[in-house]
Amino acid sequence: MKRNLQITFRGMSPSDALSEHIRDNADKLEQFFDGITGCHVVVEEPHRHHQQGKHFHVRLDLHVPGKNIVVDRDPGEKVSHEDAYQAVNDAFDAARRQLQHYAEGLRAHR
C-alpha cells in the first residue's frame, strides 16, 4: 500500500467501526487511482448550542504526485450529515470526482 492513511476524530469519541468504514473508502479510492501517496481524514462533530441533533463535518486531504486534493464537507443544514457514515461517503464521493478529473488531466498531457 503506497498511501499513508491518517484518521482524526474531533469533538467525538474515536470509533473503530467508522475508522474501518473510512479505510474501506480509502481502499476504493486507491483501486481507482494507485498514485495516492497520502490521505488524511478528519471527522468532526462541531458543538452547536442552538441546533438539535448531531451534524458531522468531514475534511479529506489526498496527496497525489504534483497535487493535493482537498475535500471539505461542511454539514450546513444537510440532513444526510446527521449520519457520520453518510458524511464520510459524501466526502469520498467528492474526492473520487476530483481524483477522476486529475487522472484525466494526466492522461491528456501524455
Side-chain angles (χ1 to χ4, degrees):
M1 187 172 294
K2 294 179 185 176
R3 69 176 158 76
N4 177 23
L5 176 62
Q6 294 178 309
I7 302 170
T8 304
F9 293 98
R10 292 190 184 142
M12 60 187 286
S13 298
S15 164
D16 289 339
L18 187 55
S19 292
E20 185 63 31
H21 183 71
I22 291 167
R23 278 190 287 281
D24 289 344
N25 274 284
D27 286 343
K28 289 176 187 174
L29 276 186
E30 192 170 55
Q31 290 171 2
F32 176 75
F33 183 81
D34 66 355
I36 299 170
T37 58
C39 181
H40 184 203
V41 180
V42 178
V43 181
E44 181 178 13
E45 183 182 347
H47 182 68
R48 297 190 178 176
H49 294 287
H50 301 290
Q51 188 169 333
Q52 295 281 334
K54 298 177 180 181
H55 288 267
F56 296 91
H57 175 248
V58 176
R59 179 181 170 99
L60 193 121
D61 293 290
L62 283 178
H63 308 287
V64 295
K67 184 173 175 99
N68 288 328
I69 296 173
V70 178
V71 175
D72 200 9
R73 287 292 190 238
D74 192 350
E77 296 300 319
K78 286 185 87 170
V79 175
S80 63
H81 288 169
E82 290 180 5
D83 178 355
Y85 292 88
Q86 187 60 48
V88 167
N89 289 344
D90 287 350
F92 273 96
D93 286 345
R96 193 171 299 112
R97 288 188 298 271
Q98 288 187 39
L99 199 55
Q100 181 177 7
H101 181 72
Y102 171 76
E104 288 169 356
L106 285 179
R107 283 190 290 272
H109 284 92
R110 288 184 184 172

